[in-house]
Amino acid sequence: MRRFALMVPVLVLALSPTAQASTTEVSDLVNRLRSVPSKCAGTPGLEKLVRRTELDRAASRVAGGAGLKDSVKGTDYQALALQGITMRGSTNVEALERLLADGYCPLIVDPRMVDIGVHQQGANTWMLLAPAFVPAAGLDDDGIAMRVLALVNQVRAQARQCGDRLYPAARPVAWSPVLAAAARAHSNDMARNGFFSHTSPDGSSASDRVERAGYDYKSTAENIAAGQMTPEAAMASWVASPGHCANLMDAGFTEMGAALASNRASRMGAYWTQVFGVERASKPPKAARRSPLL
């Protein structure tokens, strides 16, 4: 699932017929405008936009009539926001530079923009710019952790129907750095290797990861989610799923940990893991393990 924090209309610039700049010249021109103060009040040292073939393909879809949101579907390019410019009519580099410098400098010099795609068809050029892919923008790892914990305890504070079972309100869970380490390891694994499952490529399960992290559990359970751009969206998906909801509302759990990992090149982009647990005072047989729920 993809989320778009910002959608803007494509700006259309009408150009006079002349020799047309190539797509490479277009992207090079935008990068010059980002760094030359006399043109777009650019900042020397501002990072160059990276030409992405996925955005080239998305720009070609815009040329075919697709909206910005739909243009990246199926391209394996995760986008939080897209902005675009359509230039109609052949033009040389000098004319194109004047038009962009006069009308679109704020976007061109926006330091949040990191990628560019360009497509040409006949005498027309389509250009897409995208910012850095940062799910849970504005939150560092600690901020994400505390937000997820607060949301979990808000959910547990009232009785809740999970599928065909009604769960009474449950006591708050505490944050466990050890369970958070298990969650982080799995989120990183999913983001790095592009899979979405409770079972890792090495065959390890949620309970295996909890053991590896050093948590001596009596019972444990794991929730995972992918594609959500905020803690609130991830939590909403868990509450809506009977199995995940049951884990959230299980009064037997006393602690939890959670983590987010992201990878723009992966299939889902953002990967969330939430691990619940209760430590054991004695050493019961491992039959006490609780299987994770998808």
Side-chain angles (χ1 to χ4, degrees):
M1 171 184 296
R2 292 174 172 69
R3 298 287 192 269
F4 289 79
L6 173 65
M7 287 296 138
V8 297
V10 174
L11 176 68
V12 178
L13 300 178
L15 308 176
S16 59
T18 183
Q20 187 176 21
S22 68
T23 58
T24 299
E25 288 174 320
V26 172
S27 58
D28 289 346
L29 168 60
V30 172
N31 278 323
R32 287 201 302 274
L33 290 173
R34 282 171 67 87
S35 61
V36 180
S38 61
K39 297 296 183 180
C40 262
T43 302
L46 190 64
E47 290 188 8
K48 289 184 177 182
L49 299 176
V50 177
R51 180 81 177 272
R52 300 291 186 186
T53 57
E54 299 94 335
L55 282 183
D56 287 348
R57 291 196 295 270
S60 73
R61 292 180 176 183
V62 173
L68 290 176
K69 180 177 180 178
D70 291 335
S71 70
V72 293
K73 289 182 178 179
T75 64
D76 293 327
Y77 185 90
Q78 312 296 333
L80 293 176
L82 284 176
Q83 298 204 48
I85 305 172
T86 299
M87 294 161 282
R88 302 192 183 281
S90 178
T91 183
N92 59 26
V93 172
E94 290 76 16
L96 179 58
E97 181 176 13
R98 287 194 300 271
L99 284 168
L100 292 177
D102 288 344
Y104 225 48
C105 279
L107 172 59
I108 290 171
V109 300
D110 188 339
R112 296 172 298 179
M113 297 298 160
V114 297
D115 292 338
I116 184 172
V118 183
H119 174 73
Q120 289 180 324
Q121 185 175 311
N124 302 323
T125 302
W126 289 261
M127 182 169 65
L128 296 180
L129 278 71
F133 181 68
V134 186
L139 295 174
D140 59 12
D141 288 346
D142 288 342
I144 292 170
M146 294 304 99
R147 183 56 183 155
V148 172
L149 178 63
L151 290 170
V152 168
N153 285 329
Q154 287 175 18
V155 168
R156 289 169 67 89
Q158 57 184 350
R160 193 168 302 274
Q161 190 79 30
C162 299
D164 58 2
R165 180 176 174 182
L166 177 64
Y167 285 80
R171 290 183 178 180
V173 290
W175 184 258
S176 166
V178 182
L179 292 178
R184 187 173 301 108
H186 193 50
S187 285
N188 288 340
D189 194 15
M190 290 190 292
R192 182 172 55 252
N193 294 301
F195 72 97
F196 181 60
S197 172
H198 290 287
T199 303
S200 297
D202 66 3
S204 60
S205 65
S207 55
D208 293 329
R209 290 185 288 274
V210 169
E211 286 184 342
R212 287 176 184 174
Y215 190 88
D216 187 20
Y217 68 88
K218 178 180 180 182
S219 182
T220 186
E222 178 183 85
N223 286 344
I224 57 175
Q228 295 82 3
M229 295 295 107
T230 65
E232 290 78 9
M235 186 61 59
S237 72
W238 288 327
V239 170
S241 164
H244 294 94
C245 178
N247 287 340
L248 288 167
M249 294 302 298
D250 193 323
F253 293 129
T254 59
E255 297 182 294
M256 67 153 286
L260 162 68
S262 61
N263 178 1
R264 172 168 255 167
S266 65
R267 183 170 63 91
M268 299 300 291
Y271 297 83
W272 302 80
T273 304
Q274 179 183 61
V275 182
F276 294 94
V278 56
E279 288 188 298
R280 56 181 175 179
S282 59
K283 301 288 185 180
K286 290 195 174 182
R289 289 184 179 182
R290 175 174 180 164
S291 298
L293 293 171
L294 283 170

